[in-house]
Amino acid sequence: MAHQHGGGAGHAAGGAGAGGPSGMVWNWDTDMTILFPFWQTHGTMSMLASSLGIAVVCFLLEWFKEYRHINDPLWIEQLERTAYSSSVDTDDNASDVELATAQPSWASDQTHHRGGSGASPSKHSPSSSSATVHHRHDQWQSWKLQLIRTSAYMLELGASLIIMSIFMLLNGWISIAIIVGTGSGFFLFRMGLRPKSLVHPSGGGHGGAMASGSASRHTAASTSSC
């Protein structure tokens, strides 16, 4: 019985050695499986090739992080512009309806004496239809921008989790590749530069012209209603 027990223990130890290190132990193995059964390394050259590929992925991930870090504020700014334009168009449409429905007392009396029903303004006026179409377009643009932001966030999160899982193998070759790839990408891409529209948000440009044009339209509509 003791012999059988010892043989079983030796078999278990041999299986652990063949499959890789048991537990999270720092190692410099060149024969191992990386995340997936089909991703295996056999020898030094195979490990170096895999480490190089991991380093390139880490390098490109730093570029994508900076790309998203720069463009996400621009996407948010476009969302705010779309929401503001939609709200201004809604206010302008409400002002037009108020002006169309406002009818002098003498006109209503004259219509009553003539026995006519009067031409009541249609609820589906051309301006109302145009505002509805524009509102739907703005809503679609908002959803599209938010979908782009979400997709970029999910891609960055997924790639970061995969790299973290690879690092948890605690292999020296792979760890060095992750550190070198991430560090070189950070050095080249993460300079902290920002677009001019974000550095000088109060400047002119298309956004300022859009806001001023919408504000002037809203002011003109308010003046007409008064």
Side-chain angles (χ1 to χ4, degrees):
M1 296 295 292
H3 176 72
Q4 292 179 357
H5 180 73
H11 178 72
S22 59
M24 299 178 63
V25 180
W26 188 265
N27 63 92
W28 292 88
D29 296 339
T30 56
D31 299 333
M32 62 183 307
T33 301
I34 304 176
L35 289 187
F36 306 103
F38 59 83
W39 191 357
Q40 297 181 359
T41 59
H42 302 284
T44 303
M45 297 303 298
S46 178
M47 174 58 71
L48 288 177
S50 296
S51 300
L52 180 61
I54 294 172
V56 172
V57 172
C58 295
F59 180 83
L60 295 177
L61 180 59
E62 288 301 311
W63 168 82
F64 185 77
K65 286 181 178 179
E66 183 65 11
Y67 172 82
R68 178 177 170 269
H69 190 59
I70 290 178
N71 285 274
D72 194 64
L74 299 178
W75 294 331
I76 294 177
E77 183 180 358
Q78 293 180 17
L79 284 172
E80 293 175 350
R81 289 179 183 177
T82 303
Y84 177 78
S85 176
S86 179
S87 63
V88 169
D89 290 337
T90 302
D91 293 341
D92 292 344
N93 183 47
S95 300
D96 293 339
V97 171
E98 291 177 0
L99 291 175
T101 55
Q103 189 177 20
S105 58
W106 59 267
S108 60
D109 294 339
Q110 185 177 3
T111 303
H112 177 71
H113 289 305
R114 289 180 179 178
S117 59
S120 59
S122 175
K123 294 181 180 180
H124 301 284
S125 60
S127 59
S128 177
S129 301
S130 176
T132 302
V133 173
H134 192 269
H135 175 73
R136 291 178 179 176
H137 176 73
D138 291 342
Q139 190 176 17
W140 164 246
Q141 288 294 114
S142 299
W143 281 106
K144 184 172 69 173
L145 287 172
Q146 187 64 12
L147 180 61
I148 293 175
R149 293 183 65 229
T150 304
S151 301
Y153 175 76
M154 292 175 61
L155 180 60
E156 178 182 337
L157 178 63
S160 300
L161 290 176
I162 291 176
I163 292 175
M164 182 185 68
S165 300
I166 295 176
F167 185 83
M168 289 177 64
L169 295 174
L170 295 184
N171 182 273
W173 302 99
I174 296 176
S175 299
I176 292 176
I178 292 175
I179 294 173
V180 172
T182 303
S184 58
F186 182 89
F187 177 79
L188 291 178
F189 302 123
R190 308 294 289 271
M191 293 289 187
L193 301 178
R194 295 294 177 268
K196 293 182 180 179
S197 60
L198 297 179
V199 177
H200 303 287
S202 60
H206 181 67
M210 179 186 299
S212 60
S214 301
S216 62
R217 285 196 311 167
H218 183 63
T219 304
S222 302
T223 305
S224 300
S225 61
C226 295

